[in-house]
Structures are given as C-alpha cells and as structure tokens.
Amino acid sequence: MKQYLKDKNFRAGLLITGIMLCVILIGLLWTPYDPNAMSGSEKLLKPSATHLFGTDNFGRDIFSRVIQGAGATFLIAAAAVAIGLVIGLIIGGLTGYYGGVLDEILMRISDTILAFPSILLALVMIAILGKGKYNIIIALGILFIPSFARIVRSEVAKQKNTDYVRNARLMGASNMRILFLHIMPNIVPVLLSSVAIGFNNAVLSEASMSYLGVGVQPPDPSLGRLLSEAQGYLFQAPWYAICTGLAIILLILGFGLLSEGMGGE
Amino acid sequence: MTYVLKKTGVLIISLILISLLAFLAFQIIPGDPTTKILGTDYTPERAEALREQLGLNDPLPARYLSWLKGLLQGDPGISYSYFMPVKDVMSGKIQVTAALSLLSWVLVMLFSIPLGILLARFEGGHFERAGIVLNQVFMAVPPFFLGMLFTYLFGLVLHWFMPGGYIPFSQSVPGALGYMFFPALAIAIPKAAKTAKLLRSSILNEMNKDYVRTAYSRGNSRWAVLRDHVLRNAMLPVITYLAMSLADTVAGSIIVEQVFALPGLGRLLLSAIGNRDFPVAQCIVVIIAFIVVFMNYLADIITQYVDPRVRLS
C-alpha cells in the first residue's frame, strides 16, 4: 500500500474512487430528494442551488437520481467482478498449479474469448439469458472469468516452484492447502490491479448495455438507463445527460487510474 | 512461409469453431419460433409444415451443416420477424457498419500516431504532462456518451448536422460519409487515446536501448533519433494493436449507431435480440466474429513480416 501511495496515478485514482464511493454510500441512506418523487411544477429545471444537477421531465431531482444510479451501477459491477474473480481464482489456481492438457485447452479457450470485443459477447449472453439486472450480472461475471483465470494461472505457475512452496510441501501440507493458503495470499497484490480493471470494464459495460436497453430495466435505476432516458431530452435538458455521463466517466477514470498505479496496463 | 501456412490453418479452425459455437449458442435458447412467425394464424398443422419448411425437424448436425453451407453461399436462413431471407434483411446494413468502423479506424490512426510521437518527443515538459492527463480522461469516456455530447453540441446547438437525418449511400455517398463523421469521431477518440498511450510508452521503452545511445553519441538530435531510429522499432507493437483494434471499432459502432440512429448491423442486432429473431442475430454475430478473427490473423502476419524475430521464436 505504501509503495502504491508514491504513485501519482494511484493517488489520483484513490481520491476519485474514494469520493465516488463516499457519495454512493451516503446515497444508500440519504439523498437530497426522493429520486422518484415527481413534481409537476418543477419539470426540466436548470441546475441551481436547490437542484444541483437540475430536474428531469417528471420534475425529479437529477442529482439524487445520479447518486442512486451510480450506486446501482457500482453494485452490479461489484457483483459481476466478484463472480469473475471467484471462479477465475478457482480455475486459474487449479490449472496453474497442476498444468497439463486441461490447462492448455482452458487457456486456448480463454485466449479466444479475450480476443472478442466484450460488448458483442455480452449481447450474445443477453440474447440467451434474456434482459434484466441479474442476467447482466451473470453475463458480465462469466465474461470476466477468462481474464482473472489467466492472471491467477500465470502467477500460480510462477510461485509453485519457489522455496516457500517446496518448504510447505516438505512439511507435509496438502496441495489444496499450499495452493489456497500459501500461494493465493502472495498473488493478491497482482490481483488488486486486475480487480480495478474489472471494475473499470464492468461500469462501462453496464452503462453501454443499459443504454442500449438490454441491461437494467425500468424501474430499476442505473447510470446507463439514466443516459438513455436523458437522450430524449438532450435539447431541453442537456445537463441531464452531461451530469450522468460525468458520473460514469469519474467511476471509470478512478478505477483506471487505480489499476495503472498498481502496475496494471 | 510455413509461419503463414500455420497461421492460416489456425484461422480456418477458429472460423469453423466460431460458426459452431454461434450456432449452438442460439440453439440452446428455449422456445418455438413457429408460434412467433404464425402469430394468430397458429394451428398445429401449419406449425408442423413450417417447421418442416425451415428444416427445424432435422437433427442438429444436419441443420448446422445446411446453415453453414447457406452462410458460405450468402444465404444464411430465414428471419423469424420479417419472414424473409436474412440476406435481404441485412442488405445495406453491412455497408453502414463497415463504413463507420473503417472511418473511425482511420481516425484512430490519424490522431494516435502523431499524438503518441509528440508526447514522447516532449517527455518531461508541460505539454506532455497536460497531454497525459487529457489522454487519461479521454480513455475513460464511453463512446456513446461522447456521441451524445456531439449530437448536442454539433447537431442541436451548432447545426453542423441533422441528428437522425442519415442519408443512405444509395442517395448520396458524400452525404452518408459526412453524417458518419461525428459517430466515427465518437468511436475513435477513446481508442486513439489508448493507442497514443501505447505508442508513447513503446517509444520511451526503446529510448533506453544501446542503439539509441550510440545514435545520440554520433551527434543526432532527439528528434532525429526518434524519427530515424526509434520509431520503426517502437511501431511494432502498435501495428499489431491497430490491426486488432479494427474489431473494437466494429464493436464500438454497435453502440454508437444507436446514438445517431444509423441503420447498421448494430441496430439490427439489438432489434433482433429484442424480437428474439435468432437467425438474424446469429448471422450478425458470426459476421462480426469472423472480422475479429480475421483481423487478428492479419495482425499476426503483418507483425512477422515487419519483425522477422517473431517467426523464429
């Protein structure tokens, strides 16, 4: 952690992500207005002191809606990354530790999957699973497995011939114990960077899919859905789209900087 | 030559696998297409006749082979939504997506290569620092949000183009390409930022090598070293990246077409998924997947052509 803090990118990423997460956390308990409260007399108001980001076509407070949407987007991203990470850890750990034919086959498959634009694969998965919040979590989670499996595999393969692993083996530790209790803690630093990239991709994918109308469905909130609603009022209320978009950019930028600061791509 | 042959073999196997996976992916979706096509005219007899006509009663391998044969001959089945050949549903749409993604690909190259070189050239200065910060921000902007900003700024405020007023190629080629400029720009900017960053770090990486020190010691300026010695080596990873990024611009156009109401493959794919029109969706997925695999193949071939070391390793 200390070495990361010396990195400018990491500090900037930590600041942006920290602020966004604080806002999201506060938003779970309290928002300036009820995100769904309509008001006939306050339609399409410009940003002002009373409504920080203005109001939408139903007179709803956009600031409150963006906070709520950012929270939903963040939770979807977290769930998708968690699915990808856990399954990726198991697959990557086992293939990296044992190697062999299965390892070859699984890595070829993951290479092929990684070569494809993720939005295309996500659309295919949505076509199979159907639209909706939970399906997009599953689709993105499955799509993230190969990248996590790949990194875990190469790290485990690197670690398995080190002295501390041999030592543990001599002391009679079982393979599973070595893999999950001795090796795994040592690859956490490398994984943190790919988790940040995962969040970065997940936020972008959720926003894209929900914007296209195949992700989160009304009345559930999300940043992508807000943008697709905002598009209809681009002329009367450009601040709607701009404020929502800025929230997406800040989330993506924050995670991107974090991963870069931790030595990711 | 053996390298090219080997890669071509892998390409063919990948293409077959992709077609098989795309076919199977859309077969596991439950539901009977005949109820959708017949609608209120549904009777069990008609459904049975239709199933026979569409070949849905054949065993799976036979259906795959006949679909693949049709695909290769340019006739990949019947659309469930329109009940006409998929190729007629798709006609004209491929050109839109192809033009849009090629245009944005060209823009990526036009922006990223000079920018990457300039960032490396002015390393350590204010220009570089400002450039890197801006670059990082542009990398984080989703293309469709950029598209919305362009629609607002250049379409609604400045009236440089009519949002939603796409002119088909058949009416006016310059008109169509002109309308595509802003969508292409929206796809290109985040991608160009990533490419410029890659080129910059690739150049700076080369700058530490021995041959660069030798070139400096002979009295060359930084600019001359960069242009005559470093650039051709630093371009190698970037060429591969650019070849593969055509696939990303195709994927980007799926989303951005929606923002600008462009009648391309992306919009068709979304409506096909929405209407559960699987023959159309399957065909589009296969086409895009083929483009991806083929561009990766080309990237491999080009890389080994410009850098023979790849062939030997």
Side-chain angles (χ1 to χ4, degrees), chain A residues 10-265:
Chain A
F10 185 81
R11 286 205 305 262
L14 199 64
L15 184 71
I16 296 173
T17 314
I19 292 173
M20 291 303 282
L21 283 185
C22 284
V23 172
I24 287 171
L25 278 179
I26 295 170
L28 291 178
L29 305 169
W30 175 83
T31 49
Y33 292 85
D34 175 359
N36 297 315
M38 303 185 200
S39 164
S41 56
E42 295 184 308
K43 284 180 186 173
L44 299 170
L45 291 182
K46 280 200 173 113
S48 65
T50 37
H51 293 284
L52 217 49
F53 289 177
T55 58
D56 72 355
N57 51 311
F58 292 117
R60 295 175 293 194
D61 180 54
I62 294 175
F63 186 57
S64 307
R65 288 179 70 70
V66 167
I67 294 177
Q68 192 197 27
T73 296
F74 180 78
L75 284 181
I76 291 173
V81 170
I83 294 177
L85 181 63
V86 168
I87 303 180
L89 265 178
I90 296 171
I91 294 180
L94 293 177
T95 53
Y97 193 77
Y98 289 105
V101 188
L102 188 67
D103 173 43
E104 270 295 310
I105 296 172
L106 284 175
M107 286 308 123
R108 283 289 151 276
I109 293 175
S110 74
D111 275 350
T112 319
I113 293 176
L114 287 175
F116 281 95
S118 54
I119 188 78
L120 181 71
L121 293 174
L123 283 174
V124 173
M125 307 262 298
I126 291 296
I128 296 169
L129 297 167
K131 302 169 181 178
K133 184 163 80 179
Y134 296 105
N135 287 343
I136 197 165
I137 292 175
I138 297 171
L140 292 179
I142 295 176
L143 285 182
F144 290 157
I145 296 173
S147 57
F148 284 120
R150 219 158 217 268
I151 290 157
V152 174
R153 187 198 91 105
S154 77
E155 285 301 310
V156 169
K158 247 187 255 168
Q159 304 267 344
K160 75 175 174 189
N161 292 320
T162 50
D163 287 341
Y164 79 90
V165 172
R166 286 208 195 104
N167 190 21
R169 201 169 288 142
L170 282 176
M171 289 169 79
S174 71
N175 281 331
M176 285 302 122
R177 192 180 168 83
I178 291 175
L179 180 55
F180 288 101
L181 289 180
H182 292 264
I183 296 181
M184 286 298 177
N186 283 303
I187 64 175
V188 169
V190 184
L191 267 182
L192 281 179
S193 161
S194 25
V195 166
I197 298 175
F199 264 100
N200 180 328
N201 290 336
V203 170
L204 180 62
S205 306
E206 186 285 318
S208 315
M209 305 292 279
S210 302
Y211 170 75
L212 293 176
V214 294
V216 174
Q217 300 294 318
D220 288 334
S222 99
L223 289 178
R225 252 208 63 226
L226 286 182
L227 262 190
S228 85
E229 278 173 18
Q231 191 170 26
Y233 300 91
L234 210 49
F235 191 63
Q236 296 113 302
W239 51 87
Y240 194 176
I242 292 170
C243 294
T244 313
L246 284 180
I248 299 179
I249 293 174
L250 283 177
L251 275 177
I252 296 178
L253 184 65
F255 286 119
L257 287 170
L258 275 183
S259 91
E260 212 157 296
M262 289 187 285
E265 345 164 35

Side-chain angles (χ1 to χ4, degrees), chain B residues 102-120:
Chain B
L102 275 177
L103 191 61
S104 53
W105 193 53
V106 172
L107 289 177
V108 169
M109 283 195 268
L110 284 181
F111 294 144
S112 63
I113 295 175
L115 185 63
I117 294 173
L118 284 176
L119 285 177

Side-chain angles (χ1 to χ4, degrees), chain B residues 95-96 99-100 103 165-183 262-263:
Chain B
Q95 287 87 322
V96 173
L100 180 60
L103 191 61
Y166 169 69
I167 307 150
F169 275 107
S170 51
Q171 282 176 28
S172 154
V173 173
L177 287 177
Y179 186 82
M180 278 180 190
F181 176 73
F182 286 109
L262 276 165

Side-chain angles (χ1 to χ4, degrees), chain B residues 81 93 97 100 145 201 280:
Chain B
S81 295
K93 307 266 200 287
T97 301
L100 180 60
F145 177 59
S201 62
V280 172

Side-chain angles (χ1 to χ4, degrees), chain B residues 9-267:
Chain B
V10 173
L11 173 74
I12 293 169
I13 296 171
S14 317
L15 292 182
I16 294 172
L17 273 178
I18 285 167
S19 68
L20 186 64
L21 285 178
F23 178 80
L24 288 177
F26 285 97
Q27 300 308 311
I28 56 175
I29 301 169
D32 184 358
T34 55
T35 48
K36 177 177 173 53
I37 299 171
L38 291 171
T40 48
D41 295 337
Y42 185 88
T43 60
E45 297 76 35
R46 281 200 190 141
E48 188 50 38
L50 186 63
R51 229 173 268 138
E52 194 62 40
Q53 188 196 340
L54 292 173
L56 291 176
N57 286 339
D58 298 340
L60 213 53
R63 281 166 56 198
Y64 169 65
L65 287 177
S66 82
W67 171 73
L68 190 62
K69 197 171 146 226
L71 188 71
L72 294 174
Q73 291 168 345
D75 181 21
I78 304 274
S79 156
Y80 293 164
S81 295
Y82 304 95
F83 203 60
M84 55 190 215
V86 172
K87 65 167 193 275
D88 295 342
V89 177
M90 293 193 24
S91 76
K93 307 266 200 287
I94 298 179
Q95 287 87 322
V96 173
T97 301
L100 180 60
S101 40
L102 275 177
L103 191 61
S104 53
W105 193 53
V106 172
L107 289 177
V108 169
M109 283 195 268
L110 284 181
F111 294 144
S112 63
I113 295 175
L115 185 63
I117 294 173
L118 284 176
L119 285 177
R121 166 69 185 81
F122 295 105
E123 194 206 350
H126 290 300
F127 171 80
E128 196 216 17
R129 242 170 269 149
I132 288 177
V133 170
L134 268 182
N135 212 38
Q136 198 76 35
V137 172
F138 277 121
M139 275 168 55
V141 182
F144 64 95
F145 177 59
L146 215 46
M148 287 169 81
L149 288 184
F150 289 164
T151 308
Y152 176 67
L153 189 62
F154 299 114
L156 299 174
V157 177
L158 296 172
H159 297 290
W160 288 3
F161 74 102
M162 244 296 272
Y166 169 69
I167 307 150
F169 275 107
S170 51
Q171 282 176 28
S172 154
V173 173
L177 287 177
Y179 186 82
M180 278 180 190
F181 176 73
F182 286 109
L185 199 61
I187 304 170
I189 287 178
K191 198 76 204 159
K194 281 191 194 104
T195 316
K197 188 176 181 187
L198 178 73
L199 179 57
R200 172 186 165 269
S201 62
S202 174
I203 291 175
L204 293 182
N205 199 19
E206 287 287 318
M207 281 302 212
N208 295 324
K209 296 213 168 136
D210 286 346
Y211 76 90
V212 176
R213 204 179 46 201
T214 312
Y216 273 128
S217 73
R218 287 204 307 255
N220 285 308
S221 67
R222 185 175 169 93
W223 187 236
V225 172
L226 200 74
R227 188 189 58 214
D228 298 333
H229 299 273
V230 171
L231 198 55
R232 59 178 68 190
N233 291 322
M235 278 305 282
L236 290 176
V238 180
I239 289 172
T240 320
Y241 185 76
L242 277 173
M244 295 207 285
S245 61
L246 183 63
D248 290 328
T249 58
V250 174
S253 65
I254 293 180
I255 311 171
V256 171
E257 277 169 20
Q258 200 75 9
V259 184
F260 290 87
L262 276 165
L265 285 185
R267 292 205 101 193

